[in-house]
Amino acid sequence: MSAVMFEKVALIGIGLIGSSIARDIRALGLAGDIVISTRSPQTLQRAEELQLGDRYTVSAAEAADGADLVIVSVPVGASESVAQQIAPHLKPGAIITDVGSTKASVIAQMAPHMPEHVHFIPGHPLAGTEKSGPDAGFKGLFKGRWCIFTPLEGTDPQAISRLKSFWEALGSRVDEMDPQHHDKVLAIVSHLPHIIAYNIVGTADDLEAVTESEVIKYSASGFRDFTRLAASDPTMWRDVCLHNKDAILEMLARFSEDLAYLQRAIRWGEGDKLFELFSRTRTVRRSIVDAGQDVDAPDFGRHALDDKPNT
Ligand code: NAP
């Protein structure tokens, strides 16, 4: 068990990410007191049933009052409203951070409300699943995953270092970058793949020449790999698209050009171009496995399915 790092931790938002953080804090003994806040009484009650914290409140202000560390884990579009609610109650010297998937927009929404006497350090753990809500969280979600900080100029290095130690205790590796760069990188590694998945699953769902039952029945040929991403939380992803608009549109333009190149190669029977691209992309997969960001199990380790009867 690790030592207490923060006497009082307030978790605002207790879905997949907030509840995973809560489970780790509790398991590792990183806080003296965990206060949980979420806007709906139903989610709050579920958090209490799951015993994710020590105290529970629907008031973000009450939770943040006197906290040494405040972690905001709500959809990025709700960041400003949360910042407004908690700002007057923040204790001098407190560290305020978030986990939002976009960074420039979160900073624009939260920083103007943060009092001078606190340390606001925006963050983004690159870990998650397609599930949401407090039941979806689990211990160890952040182990071996990156957490990116996008600190504002002039932030106290000691506060950054304290927050870094916290994420390292959860098993993460921490990087720092500027928020605009973060938003560009995430647009290609996360936002675009989700948008493509939403699009392809939507297209298949709209097809009239192929029935829905055939799409489901034969999905193991590739389609189902997209359905996992396309099952992600609609609120979260609506907000990501609206709050990282420029970077996403830039990546989508590049993507459309490259798709046109592929389309032309298929149309004109340019097998060498197709072969060259497909060989290059195969090495990308190899690098991801080598970097420890996925396992090399055949079929993404889905052997559990082999035991299921065919439907
Ligand atoms: P989630 O499971 O859907 O939980 C969302 C939490 O935010 C719930 O406590 C919910 O409260 C609260 N909430 C929703 N709308 C709100 C609003 N308008 N105002 C105040 N609170 C609101 O979401 P999550 O997956 O944990 O995502 C939380 C954040 O983490 C997002 O910013 C997301 O971009 C980021 N993130 C997600 C992932 C991922 O894979 N899911 C990975 C990295 C970062 P109620 O249930 O009480 O309504």
Side-chain angles (χ1 to χ4, degrees):
M1 201 180 245
S2 323
V4 168
M5 292 180 120
F6 294 93
E7 200 37 56
K8 175 177 171 184
V9 175
L11 299 175
I12 319 263
I14 196 72
L16 167 72
I17 300 296
S19 76
S20 296
I21 296 173
R23 286 171 168 96
D24 279 346
I25 293 179
R26 173 138 276 187
L28 297 163
L30 301 178
D33 186 22
I34 307 170
V35 187
I36 287 174
S37 168
T38 188
R39 61 176 181 166
S40 77
Q42 294 83 347
T43 305
L44 194 66
Q45 190 188 336
R46 190 62 196 136
E48 194 164 358
E49 283 162 6
L50 292 166
Q51 300 185 348
L52 295 174
D54 300 304
R55 288 185 291 131
Y56 304 86
T57 169
V58 284
S59 160
E62 193 184 316
D65 200 352
D68 304 287
L69 173 65
V70 179
I71 306 180
V72 178
S73 310
V74 301
V76 290
S79 309
E80 177 153 30
S81 145
V82 169
Q84 275 168 338
Q85 292 169 53
I86 63 175
H89 306 273
L90 297 172
K91 170 176 163 177
I95 294 177
I96 320 305
T97 188
D98 77 303
V99 298
S101 307
T102 71
K103 294 276 56 91
S105 157
V106 167
I107 292 171
Q109 293 179 69
M110 292 187 72
H113 300 283
M114 290 296 117
E116 290 240 327
H117 61 251
V118 304
H119 308 287
F120 171 50
I121 307 170
H124 178 201
L126 305 193
T129 73
E130 70 281 19
K131 305 270 173 39
S132 45
D135 285 282
F138 54 92
K139 260 191 295 184
L141 171 63
F142 308 104
K143 215 176 219 166
R145 299 280 167 256
W146 286 100
C147 182
I148 300 176
F149 292 175
T150 59
L152 285 79
E153 239 182 71
T155 305
D156 178 6
Q158 265 190 323
I160 296 178
S161 156
R162 275 189 84 192
L163 188 63
K164 185 167 182 253
S165 303
F166 172 79
W167 279 104
E168 285 172 350
L170 268 50
S172 286
R173 289 180 283 173
V174 176
D175 249 354
E176 275 182 41
M177 57 178 79
D178 85 70
Q180 282 72 22
H181 188 66
H182 165 278
D183 288 356
K184 272 200 178 147
V185 172
L186 268 292
I188 189 67
V189 300
S190 170
H191 307 169
L192 199 63
H194 278 83
I195 290 166
I196 292 166
Y198 281 122
N199 191 56
I200 195 169
V201 175
T203 302
D205 195 45
D206 290 342
L207 280 180
E208 279 163 11
V210 179
T211 65
E212 201 179 313
S213 65
E214 283 172 310
V215 169
I216 306 293
K217 184 170 164 191
Y218 302 121
S219 62
S221 340
F223 182 68
R224 74 173 181 191
D225 289 340
F226 288 99
T227 60
R228 189 186 68 76
L229 292 182
S232 300
D233 189 70
T235 306
M236 169 185 160
W237 283 96
R238 176 203 61 197
D239 279 12
V240 168
C241 290
L242 298 178
H243 289 267
N244 196 20
K245 180 176 158 182
D246 293 344
I248 289 176
L249 287 178
E250 190 184 323
M251 292 307 164
L252 269 175
R254 286 287 297 265
F255 174 78
S256 305
E257 277 174 32
D258 292 345
L259 192 62
Y261 170 89
L262 202 55
Q263 195 175 359
R264 226 175 12 250
I266 295 169
R267 184 180 309 285
W268 299 110
E270 296 171 328
D272 49 344
K273 284 190 179 162
L274 298 175
F275 189 84
E276 186 276 324
L277 175 67
F278 301 162
S279 307
R280 197 151 50 84
T281 54
R282 211 176 199 192
T283 63
V284 176
R285 170 80 194 151
R286 187 71 260 156
S287 319
I288 289 171
V289 172
D290 289 348
Q293 294 300 303
D294 205 350
V295 290
D296 199 17
D299 202 17
F300 297 93
R302 284 201 180 104
H303 288 309
L305 272 185
D306 294 347
D307 303 328
K308 275 192 141 184
N310 284 331
T311 47

